[in-house]
Amino acid sequence: MVRGARQPQQPRSRLAPRLTGTVEKPPRKRKSRTEFALKEIMSSGGAEDDIPQGERKTVTDFCYLLDKSKQLFNGLRDLPQYGQKQWQSYFGRTFDVYTKLWKFQQQHRQVLDNRYGLKRWQIGEIASKIGQLYYHYYLRTSETSYLNEAFSFYSAIRQRSYYSQVNKEDRPELVVKKLRYYARFIVVCLLLNKMDVVKDLVKELSDEIEDYTHRFNTEDQVEWNLVLQEVAAFIEADPVMVLNDDNTIVITSNRLAETGAPLLEQGMIVGQLSLADALIIGNCNNQVKFSELTVDMFRMLQALEREPMNLASQMNKPGMQESADKPTRRENPHKYLLYKPTFSQLYTFLAASFKELPANSVLLIYLSATGVFPTGRSDSEGPYDFGGVLTNSNRDIINGDAIHKRNQSHKEMHCLHPGDLYPFTRKPLFIIVDSSNSVAYKNFTNLFGQPLVCLLSPTAYPKALQGTLSLPVISVGCR
């Protein structure tokens, strides 16, 4: 596909900043960049007066669109990460500008090559940002179709070698752009279970990092090598392989296929409650992760999604017109992915999800976190006396659980206790606790009589019961 950045119906991105004002007039930056381009032409033997007015306007308009797109893209970082409505209009404007920019550089490529000196890596940077827009729109909406959109743009950058000339320029910042593109592409491929592409990308990224560190005396060599180690560990974290009859590996997916929905148990009624929102929280020490996505978060988010529609297969080249027959859009539960949030961050996102939860809907909370155990015996046995799970303390944790024992007379202030979730039982709630201290949530109290399921990891139960609880517990919440 790589075509104009088609604006999704309801866009969003975790990636970005808000513009404080509209950009209707060309900013000064646009003017100076245009003047620079024209001076370059004059220095090469021409005169500014010799440039046709139409070509001068083409360069000016391109610089304006380029500056405006960058300003809007940077503005996305200031948008609130929680809430499902505030970002939509701003994100839509960003898509509109990138659509115009992408089509403009296609339509006026020759003039921009001759008069502006447009380089292929600059085209690749535009395509990369469009891919990021689609990826972060997926993060905001959980619509897996847009993962394919991001993959199409990222794949086109690789196929068309937009970054191929970057290594010939003595500019380390351009090489870093290329390395970041590879890292983002790998994340998208992991989410799409394109493991064959992931392995190729990891090999290419390894070669690029080796060349980068060899040519430039950089301080970030250790960080990039850590990126390689993380993605290698992430790939190896799921060793299960399924083989066909001809011994070829079958890529399995945790997502729900169109025909793979489980049958309802006898007596269950469809449509009473639907899963609308989910908080997926990862805060385990020393856990395999890549790009703030732990393995357990990765598996859970896919378990809450349908298989993505392959929108990209309909338009596999940049600039192609969109098909009039769009596939039917399917809704997935909206998700927040929180990697090592603080208590206040977790509570803010939880409150936002609670506030926006539609009627007859369920909020799911998945807690994968290090257990916090009680520091001593208590006279009472309330919801704050059995510990809970750890949230991020914004400081280094040394030797794992050592943080929990710094003061025996006080409860751990960064612990999420069962009682902290009681206020949210005012609405239907599904809680999954995957922790060494999940047993703290064993007697979770339903104060408001709303549908409630609290599913604990097997470590909370005797071995005789392990492996027998998931279906009975889940079925209670579906009725």
Side-chain angles (χ1 to χ4, degrees):
M1 166 206 95
V2 172
R3 57 188 184 287
R6 179 169 56 81
Q7 176 185 338
Q9 290 102 331
Q10 295 180 343
R12 152 166 198 176
S13 154
R14 171 179 309 195
L15 153 147
R18 172 183 41 199
L19 276 179
T20 54
T22 57
V23 191
E24 296 303 331
K25 295 182 180 180
R28 295 179 183 177
K29 199 172 181 181
R30 178 199 73 167
K31 211 169 186 181
S32 61
R33 190 174 292 185
T34 305
E35 291 174 352
F36 175 78
L38 296 177
K39 286 179 180 179
E40 285 293 307
I41 299 171
M42 293 176 60
S43 65
S44 62
E48 187 173 349
D49 294 339
D50 295 337
I51 303 173
Q53 186 65 28
E55 295 184 2
R56 187 195 306 271
K57 185 177 185 303
T58 296
V59 173
T60 302
D61 291 345
F62 176 77
C63 291
Y64 171 60
L65 285 174
L66 186 62
D67 286 339
K68 186 172 182 179
S69 67
K70 290 181 177 179
Q71 192 175 11
L72 286 168
F73 187 90
N74 292 334
L76 290 169
R77 296 190 187 96
D78 291 336
L79 294 178
Q81 294 182 4
Y82 51 86
Q84 301 184 39
K85 297 179 181 178
Q86 302 94 322
W87 48 269
Q88 292 179 7
S89 60
Y90 185 91
F91 204 87
R93 287 164 52 203
T94 308
F95 264 100
D96 286 340
V97 171
Y98 271 97
T99 296
K100 294 176 184 177
L101 178 62
W102 184 257
K103 292 181 177 178
F104 192 89
Q105 63 85 21
Q106 288 179 316
Q107 295 166 355
H108 304 281
R109 180 72 58 80
Q110 185 173 357
V111 173
L112 294 173
D113 286 346
N114 295 335
R115 300 301 188 186
Y116 179 79
L118 184 66
K119 295 180 173 57
R120 290 189 65 77
W121 66 262
Q122 292 174 302
I123 302 172
E125 186 176 15
I126 297 172
S128 179
K129 287 186 176 179
I130 294 173
Q132 289 180 62
L133 288 175
Y134 277 122
Y135 169 68
H136 287 278
Y137 172 57
Y138 155 73
L139 291 180
R140 294 258 182 175
T141 64
S142 300
E143 287 304 318
T144 49
S145 302
Y146 293 96
L147 279 175
N148 279 327
E149 301 285 330
F151 176 83
S152 297
F153 275 91
Y154 285 149
S155 182
I157 293 172
R158 182 170 173 240
Q159 292 171 2
R160 300 176 186 196
S161 303
Y162 282 137
Y163 284 123
S164 61
Q165 301 300 314
V166 163
N167 292 0
K168 296 182 180 180
E169 301 193 28
D170 191 24
R171 296 177 60 185
E173 69 275 12
L174 294 183
V175 182
V176 170
K177 288 179 183 289
K178 185 177 183 179
L179 299 180
R180 288 175 177 169
Y181 149 73
Y182 269 106
R184 295 186 183 109
F185 195 5
I186 289 171
V187 171
V188 170
C189 290
L190 285 171
L191 290 169
L192 288 172
N193 293 310
K194 296 182 181 290
M195 301 307 297
D196 52 342
V197 182
V198 169
K199 292 177 182 178
D200 292 340
L201 291 175
V202 171
K203 177 63 170 63
E204 293 176 20
L205 176 60
S206 177
D207 294 339
E208 293 290 344
I209 291 175
E210 183 177 354
D211 179 74
Y212 168 64
T213 56
H214 179 74
R215 291 176 54 219
F216 302 102
N217 185 18
T218 62
E219 298 179 355
D220 56 353
Q221 178 179 358
V222 175
E223 295 178 14
W224 282 111
N225 287 332
L226 181 60
V227 170
L228 285 177
Q229 294 172 15
E230 284 188 353
V231 69
F234 198 96
I235 294 172
E236 295 176 2
D238 190 0
V240 177
M241 291 188 298
V242 180
L243 300 179
N244 272 330
D245 293 337
D246 57 356
N247 289 331
T248 58
I249 297 177
V250 178
I251 302 299
T252 59
S253 173
N254 292 324
R255 291 190 176 95
L256 181 65
E258 193 69 31
T259 58
L263 297 176
L264 294 178
E265 295 181 10
Q266 187 175 5
M268 296 175 66
I269 302 174
V270 179
Q272 286 186 324
L273 291 174
S274 60
L275 180 60
D277 222 357
L279 271 73
I280 301 177
I281 299 153
N283 192 30
C284 287
N285 296 329
N286 304 320
Q287 191 168 23
V288 175
K289 63 101 178 174
F290 181 60
S291 185
E292 297 194 346
L293 185 66
T294 64
V295 169
D296 49 1
M297 293 171 67
F298 172 75
R299 292 169 179 165
M300 179 55 67
L301 76 88
Q302 292 193 58
L304 300 178
E305 294 176 350
R306 298 175 178 88
E307 285 292 347
M309 300 276 248
N310 194 7
L311 300 184
S313 64
Q314 300 178 10
M315 314 156 267
N316 26 25
K317 292 186 179 180
M320 284 189 64
Q321 297 297 320
E322 295 183 15
S323 170
D325 300 324
K326 295 181 180 178
T328 303
R329 188 165 175 265
R330 297 176 301 174
E331 297 288 345
N332 288 318
H334 175 263
K335 299 184 296 296
Y336 290 116
L337 305 178
L338 304 181
Y339 174 70
K340 292 194 173 182
T342 62
F343 179 86
S344 59
Q345 288 171 336
L346 192 158
Y347 232 59
T348 299
F349 279 81
L350 187 55
S353 294
F354 178 85
K355 176 184 177 182
E356 297 183 349
L357 193 69
N360 299 320
S361 297
V362 178
L363 170 63
L364 183 146
I365 304 172
Y366 174 73
L367 295 169
S368 175
T370 300
V372 179
F373 297 90
T375 55
R377 298 191 63 84
S378 174
D379 296 335
S380 62
E381 291 187 352
Y384 293 90
D385 296 315
F386 296 100
V389 298
L390 186 66
T391 60
N392 191 8
S393 60
N394 278 337
R395 64 175 182 270
D396 292 335
I397 298 175
I398 302 175
N399 297 326
D401 294 336
I403 185 175
H404 315 320
K405 302 176 182 178
R406 70 178 187 277
N407 192 326
Q408 294 289 330
S409 62
H410 298 104
K411 289 183 171 64
E412 171 56 56
M413 64 178 294
H414 301 289
C415 174
L416 182 72
H417 297 271
D420 295 323
L421 299 179
Y422 282 3
F424 302 100
T425 60
R426 288 174 169 84
K427 293 183 179 181
L429 199 60
F430 195 129
I431 305 171
I432 302 175
V433 185
D434 189 359
S435 172
S436 56
N437 192 31
S438 58
V439 69
Y441 295 77
K442 183 175 64 173
N443 297 318
F444 196 90
T445 304
N446 187 354
L447 296 179
F448 297 93
Q450 292 287 338
L452 172 68
V453 172
C454 188
L455 180 62
L456 311 182
S457 60
T459 54
Y461 299 96
K463 289 185 177 180
L465 295 178
Q466 292 182 15
T468 65
L469 293 174
S470 56
L471 283 178
V473 175
I474 290 176
S475 66
V476 171
C478 295
R479 296 182 180 179

